[in-house]
Amino acid sequence: MSESLVRVSFTVNGAPYDLELPPRRLLSDALRHDLRLTGTHVGCEHGVCGACTVLVDGAPVRSCLLFAVSLDGAAITTTEGLRAPDGGMGPVQRAFHECHALQCGFCTPGFVTTVAAYLRDHPSPTHEEAREAIAGNLCRCTGYVNIVAAVERAAELLAGSAGSAGTAPDGAAPGLPEDAAAPEPSGGASRRLPPDPSTVAAAPSVRPLADGAGAPPASAHPAGRDSS
Amino acid sequence: MTTKLFGQRVPRVEDPRLVTGDGRFLDDLGHDALEAAFVRSPHAHARVVDVDVTEALEVEGLVAIYTYEDLDGRTNERLPLLIPHPTLTHGRTQYALANGEVNHVGEAVVMVVASDRYVAEDAASRIRVEYEFLPAVVGVAAARAAEHLVHDDVPGNVAAVMVQQTGDAAAAIDAAPHRLELDLEIERSASMPLEGKGVLARWDPDDRSLLVHTSTQTSTSVRQALAAKLGLPVDRVEVVTPDVGGGFGVKIVHPWPEEVLVPWAAIRLGRPVKWTEDRREHFVSSAHERGQLHHVRVGYDDEGRLLGLDVEFWHDNGAYIPYGLIVPIITSTQLLGPYKPGAYRVEFRSLYTNTVIVTPYRGAGRPQGCFVMERVMDAIAADLGLDRTVVRERNFIRPDEMPYDQGLVFQDGRALLYDSGDFPASLARLKDLVGWDDFASYREQARAEGRRVGIGLACYVEGTGVGPYEGGHLRVETDGSVVVSTGLTSQGQGHRTMLAQIVADELGVPFDRVSVTTGDTRRFKYAVGTFASRTAVMSGSAVALTARKVRDKALHIAAEALEANVEDLEIVDGHVRVQGSPSSSIDLGAVAVLSNPLRYAFDEAAARATQFAAPADPDRAPVGRGEQPGLEGTDYYSPPRSTFANGMHAVVVETDPDTAEIRVLRYCVVHDCGTLINPMIVEGQIHGGVAQGVGGALYERMEYAPDGQLLNASFMDFLMPYATEVPDIEIDHLVTPSPLNPLGVKGAGEAGVIPGAAAIAAAIEDAEGITISKMPISPSDLFELRRQHASREDSA
Amino acid sequence: MKPPAFTYHRPRSLDEALDVLASLGEGGKVLAGGQSLVPLMSMRLSAPAALVDVNHVPGLAGVEVGADAVRVGALARHSAVEHDAAAYAALPLLRQALVHVAHPTIRNRGTTVGSLVHGDPAAELPAVLCLLDGSITLRSAQGTREVPAADFFLGPLETDLRPGELAIAATFRRPPAGSRSAFVEVARRHGDYAVCGVGALVADATVRVALVGMGPVPVVVDLSEAYDGQRLDEDRARDLVDAQVEPEGDIHATADYRRHLAHVLVARAVRQSGSDRRAA
């Protein structure tokens, strides 16, 4: 008995697609195999590693946890959609390159989309905020140090390209295609969380363990010092 | 004057393609291929009684179903035992599809080929396999007790017993003023790259040749294995590595069952066939590592100097042993670290269990050895009331004692001979970096605030650049571009960038005119593979030697063309010129043209090499005896033994007095891998290794139930660290060049992970005052240790 | 890991959705966020014959702040609830708990109501609903029923949702003005399921806590008798908590450790609520 196909229409990186797919086709597979956009990768198929992260209507989601047919009318952005207009590296991608924030490159597409959306909403993160922003994606190669640096570098590049104006006139932040503008805020929602200590979802390993974590010893050198 | 690239933080040539989503990983290829899925055993130990495929046959899109009975030729033989050893008296490997018996959850029983993976899984889920349960042997204790056997013909579940020794350790320990005994344990983890395995095979019936893409660390070895297993001439088989999403050791094993079965099916079906491993499969049918149990006796003097060290350990090798004894041999030998052990005896038993096979994972047995030795050092320091760095310093091999022969045989079958390193200098740098001498006062200050902090350190030595050899090929094209290839493979280490840096410097050409291919048997056929931190040493040296060879040839051809002396020539920016007289020059592309005397010009540039255009001695043969046309060369590097890198890590942790949560506050690394070709790449390797070390110390543990079920076969429950679990990493380098290769380099790939568990255990012990002898350790484990410690103290 | 085949329905109105669900009976499952359902299907641990995709049904995504309660519609994503300023002002506990739910990327698609219907005692939202004496609104072709939180969660991953029913909203009752709240959790890694979590609600004379991962359903404990209006008597609180919790051991933590964490986190949550936002 063959599977009946369901019609679905969505855009990917601005290009419209009208498809007939088996309902169980995961969005990750539809992008990779039906549309041949293999930039998005599949690392676990249970929503944990984040390599499959794409933007749906501007918000990062796990494409391995979506059925493609459920995305009727959606605007999807993949890492291919975050290139520069000439097909070269977009600002987030360039930041990753400059900071050596990729080694094998398999997890990278999920980071790039996540970071692009994050910086659109939070253009100047602190070091710890930059780390928190990427805390939902696994990387086995880099140890994350350079990825955190890439978030900060991407923030610089995006700020530089937009000048002091902030966002482009069409509402999308620079570096993001038009259809990846921030999701419509629901009545009164703020983009930035208020500085409320109980809302800081710090991991056990970085949560303040008592009121005010002390500083490392005074003779500590700043991270990454290289005396070669 | 062009800047030398050797030693520069050159951005990677691999990046632009990868970062824009233009990578070509295995599953990105073969959109036209059929896809495979497997029925895998849900039981740890069982006989396969019957396979009923009736319901599966109704699935639309099914193409084929295969069991062991279908395998022909040599595909129905066991997979090879890759590294034999005289002590491996009871080596057992698996069949590509189970032949009547399964020995671990995940072992492949039936192969399904269908139009796509969804359909293949549908068919697989309808196949009914009847099993007769057998008792499962899980864990070192059960294997040792041997109440049940994994393999009927392997008594005691012992694959091998191996002893190495120098001097008489037992006597030295008995005669020593002080003695200690320790029991230590490291639990199983795994490489766990973000991309699993994958194989794509195409058989060309017209050419009668096989092209296989596989996500492997050794394309040349897979090629040999496939030719053997499939009964094909080697030159009718080519194996190409695509972009590979991480390896960390697990992809050095070969041939995987799927690497044999997918090409076999492709030939049989006359259609391309692809298999992309999913995450669950990777957990239960690739490989794990790290599980060992150690019993140590050590004798030492009043100064804390080792007089004798006796180590007995049990290594869990899983259900089969295709990779031989490499991991426990590395543990046995690298356990010694940068120290003189006095007399040393190490004995290990490699034991079968009904679990996934155990093969190298980054570090490959060194983390276990380092854990043991560093716990010994800390225990000695605690016993004598000495500073932990002082005890280590007293045991260090000194720089003037290099080369130092430990008197043992290393994993490459060669002497464990340390060639370089300055351990006292490295330790001094580490103490400075972390602020070792100031820590006591910091700890007191924290205590006053109700916080618990601790500091630990660990030192290791790593034999890198094992042989037997690697090679390089270089060709200058007539347009001046330089095409380089080496046979080993890449999984994200930036090899193409690093090797291009070497070529650019050695040959004198612009970096962006050099392109490098790795892991493609069509381009380079003789190689070993990428493992054991060997690429920079082996392929780096081979490529450097090759470039020098080609440079020499270029100079000789150019000397004739320029009517100059070879000694007066230099190559700068791709131009061969007379030193001090830049107008007298010829570019390398033109030299390439001249290197290949032609009868026919295929383009304008080539015209210059034709018989009437090129000046030539009419009495001399155009291509002399022993010469070859073309501006190209091949060379190999084959060292007499490994070259020894080393490193030392210091960690500051904080533990929560109430919740027992453990947090790494600082992670400091001093690292000596000889000369650095690209410091950015080396640091990236260290970062990644450190993250895996933190993972192995605090989060990662394969949880096997007594019946052999893997309880945490997913990323939800096998906990790899996110960015929030890995601290910023502070690195300082020391450079003691290797005397063994032309570049002075030592391997760097595995270094970051080796001392992680040891250093973190030491820091937790320092914070808590509780002995830590087992890793990994979770907050729950620490809570239970605290309770046991408190009740011991209460009853003391 | 590919899911098995199913029949797919994409209703465009609530009535259409309810009609389809009625006709499918036991064979129909609702697809909203899918963040729990899809991986179960990919692992072939769940194989519903039919999915009713409600993502295109209008009118279900609202977050309504009323005088007595915050009502969250079926399609309100966790992130929408989390970032809703009015909801936060009315009921800070929602956001305090939501930031512990997985990672932001999961929260962008997963729905708060979906998490409640999934009924995992190790999840944060069921505990919050119970602590606030909330309820779930269940609609079917036959009509509507409102089920109080205490009656909704029946066991691990088992709720009172019946075949043919769609949970269209969850109502989180607002605590008395001046109440304070906090949510604390210990997880193995950032974003993981709680090893133990505690939501605390403190009014002038009352303290109530709900515990995550400490029993087959969320455990709510009234600690008022251990509270003097200023400080919690931690020994007394410990006894009250111990009487109610049934921690289990698993590969991540022993039962004893979980019990210990419950004691620690209850005290911490109550202390932390003192320095937190007061509900409007």
Side-chain angles (χ1 to χ4, degrees), chain B residues 48 62 161 245 257 260 270 317 383 436 452 504 580 602 662 676 683 690 714-715 727 769 772:
Chain B
V48 178
L62 173 71
V161 181
V260 173
N317 65 245
D383 184 48
W436 181 268
R452 282 186 209 185
F602 54 84
I662 303 161
L676 299 166
E683 282 162 17
V690 166
S714 81
F715 282 163
I772 307 292

Side-chain angles (χ1 to χ4, degrees), chain C residues 244-259:
Chain C
Q244 303 267 59
V245 296
E246 304 165 51
E248 287 192 355
D250 64 15
I251 61 173
H252 297 305
T254 62
D256 285 344
Y257 175 62
R258 284 195 156 93
R259 183 181 297 276

Side-chain angles (χ1 to χ4, degrees), chain B residues 125-192:
Chain B
S125 69
R126 286 165 172 74
I127 294 175
R128 309 261 161 266
V129 183
E130 195 187 323
Y131 297 96
E132 180 195 315
F133 300 158
L134 297 169
V137 179
V138 180
V140 167
R144 280 170 77 178
E147 197 184 314
H148 301 291
L149 296 179
V150 175
H151 301 288
D152 290 335
D153 54 355
V154 179
N157 294 312
V158 180
V161 181
M162 182 166 162
V163 176
Q164 286 211 64
Q165 56 195 334
T166 55
D168 186 341
I173 293 167
D174 287 339
H178 305 273
R179 254 171 309 283
L180 274 177
E181 234 170 289
L182 293 91
D183 288 296
L184 301 162
E185 190 176 343
I186 305 250
E187 298 198 71
R188 202 183 252 223
S189 180
S191 302
M192 213 51 69

Side-chain angles (χ1 to χ4, degrees), chain A residues 24 29 97 144 205 225 227, chain B residues 118 122 663 721 724 731-732:
Chain A
R24 61 168 165 167
D29 288 332
H97 172 54
Y144 305 105
S205 54
R225 192 197 81 168
S227 65
Chain B
Y118 287 74
D122 289 344
R663 171 183 164 201
T724 35
I731 301 176
D732 200 353

